[in-house]
Amino acid sequence: MAVRKIIRIDEELCDGCGQCVTSCSEGALAIVGGKAKLVKERYCDGFGDCIGECPTGALVIEEREAEEFDLGAAREHVARTGGAEAVRRLDEATAAHEARGGGGGCPGTRARFDAAPPAARPAADGAGPGQAIPSELRQWPVQLHLVQPGMPFFRGRELLLLNSCGAVTSADVHWRFLRGRAVTIACPKLDDTRPYAAKLAAIFRDPTIPRVVVVRMEVPCCGGLTMLARQAAAASGRRDLVVDEVTIGLNGDVGETKAILAPGFEAAAPPGAGRVPGTGSSGLGILGGGES
């Protein structure tokens, strides 16, 4: 066995909905006794397709000693349990994983290096002191683990919920997303996300925050960031909050802005949201963010 990335399920948060099972093309998950279970370690490729589909945040990727992923064994398994259609889904998922950087694991764990940049430029450490390109960051801290509800930089501004990889993947992040906004950064795959929904809900209760912009990567596991925003918005008690999503490609391309929640939404609090104490007031504040 080797140390690798593999799914972990928090049974206290799992409500047995089965969405993770249907999203796992390798057949690594099953509902047993009303809870999601890992069938066999060798069926889980650690890619994380299931994470973005979990409505309660019960699924995370951890790094531990486990059997190596065995694509052949997974293919035989889905053929036995789901037939030809399941094999077709597995083959499509494998091809998609390969297109994003190779098979047998999450593209976020694989090395990428573009040896020939578009244009030769001096190394950053040779440019001298100061800033060649001014930063749009107007706050500190930025990590979701470190920020606290009620911090003054949240007031009267839109909030950018940014994935940890986006800031170095796209050169557009500062001027396109960060300018004029408060920001908090998180990774739904590598962070301990258990306190995140509650903390975000407490931040979202500030009635002067009119909009949340979730900026995620195109990899499936990053969908967990959007799911956290949904949970937090539902638990915040607000019905005037706008939540949008923007996806960044692995090459830095920025996709279209998609509405996740609009003013007046009646989103039922997802399972597990009841753990978040309190409710919030409503009221629309000052639009502080830039264009997405």
Side-chain angles (χ1 to χ4, degrees), residues 14-21 29-39:
C14 177
D15 66 353
C17 71
Q19 292 185 48
C20 61
V21 176
L29 302 174
I31 300 297
V32 180
K35 300 288 184 178
K37 303 283 187 182
L38 180 62
V39 177

Side-chain angles (χ1 to χ4, degrees), residues 122-181:
D125 58 3
Q131 296 185 55
I133 302 173
S135 172
E136 297 291 345
L137 183 65
R138 298 293 181 266
Q139 69 176 76
W140 194 261
V142 295
Q143 291 286 345
L144 186 50
H145 270 302
L146 300 178
V147 300
Q148 297 298 327
M151 281 183 160
F153 49 72
F154 288 131
R155 296 173 194 151
R157 291 187 176 187
E158 294 185 358
L159 173 62
L160 172 65
L161 181 54
L162 177 65
N163 71 87
S164 300
C165 300
V168 294
T169 304
S170 174
D172 290 355
V173 164
H174 269 246
W175 73 267
R176 186 189 292 264
F177 299 118
L178 189 52
R179 182 181 300 176
R181 292 189 174 109

Side-chain angles (χ1 to χ4, degrees), residues 9-278:
I9 303 165
D10 185 336
E11 292 194 4
E12 290 188 6
L13 293 179
C14 177
D15 66 353
C17 71
Q19 292 185 48
C20 61
V21 176
T22 58
S23 66
C24 177
S25 301
E26 295 77 22
L29 302 174
I31 300 297
V32 180
K35 300 288 184 178
K37 303 283 187 182
L38 180 62
V39 177
K40 283 187 179 180
E41 292 179 345
R42 61 179 176 163
Y43 297 158
C44 177
D45 65 358
F47 198 94
D49 287 2
C50 54
I51 291 178
E53 301 299 324
C54 178
T56 66
L59 302 178
V60 295
I61 294 290
E62 65 178 358
E63 190 167 335
R64 62 173 175 84
E65 193 173 78
E67 287 185 86
E68 291 283 1
F69 171 62
D70 187 334
L71 178 59
R75 202 170 191 276
E76 291 177 4
H77 169 61
V78 299
R80 288 193 306 269
T81 57
E85 176 60 21
V87 173
R88 183 191 64 77
R89 287 183 59 237
L90 173 59
D91 290 343
E92 287 183 353
T94 301
H97 296 176
E98 290 283 354
R100 288 174 177 151
C106 175
T109 67
R110 298 188 199 96
R112 272 188 68 186
F113 178 67
D114 294 326
R121 296 179 181 178
D125 58 3
Q131 296 185 55
I133 302 173
S135 172
E136 297 291 345
L137 183 65
R138 298 293 181 266
Q139 69 176 76
W140 194 261
V142 295
Q143 291 286 345
L144 186 50
H145 270 302
L146 300 178
V147 300
Q148 297 298 327
M151 281 183 160
F153 49 72
F154 288 131
R155 296 173 194 151
R157 291 187 176 187
E158 294 185 358
L159 173 62
L160 172 65
L161 181 54
L162 177 65
N163 71 87
S164 300
C165 300
V168 294
T169 304
S170 174
D172 290 355
V173 164
H174 269 246
W175 73 267
R176 186 189 292 264
F177 299 118
L178 189 52
R179 182 181 300 176
R181 292 189 174 109
V183 60
T184 187
I185 297 176
C187 176
K189 181 169 184 175
L190 301 180
D191 295 357
D192 178 3
T193 61
R194 286 172 290 184
Y196 279 0
K199 177 175 279 191
L200 285 171
I203 294 171
F204 290 178
R205 289 191 190 107
D206 182 343
T208 70
I209 299 174
R211 180 182 179 219
V212 176
V213 181
V214 180
V215 176
R216 52 161 291 188
M217 299 301 296
E218 66 175 335
V219 294
C221 55
C222 209
L225 200 62
T226 303
M227 191 62 67
L228 283 167
R230 287 178 181 273
Q231 293 176 8
S236 72
R238 292 183 58 185
R239 293 296 177 264
D240 62 327
L241 185 65
V242 176
V243 182
D244 291 332
E245 177 194 65
V246 183
T247 299
I248 296 178
L250 295 182
N251 62 353
D253 288 344
V254 177
E256 296 293 327
T257 300
K258 298 180 180 179
I260 302 301
L261 295 174
F265 73 90
E266 294 295 335
R275 296 181 175 84
V276 183

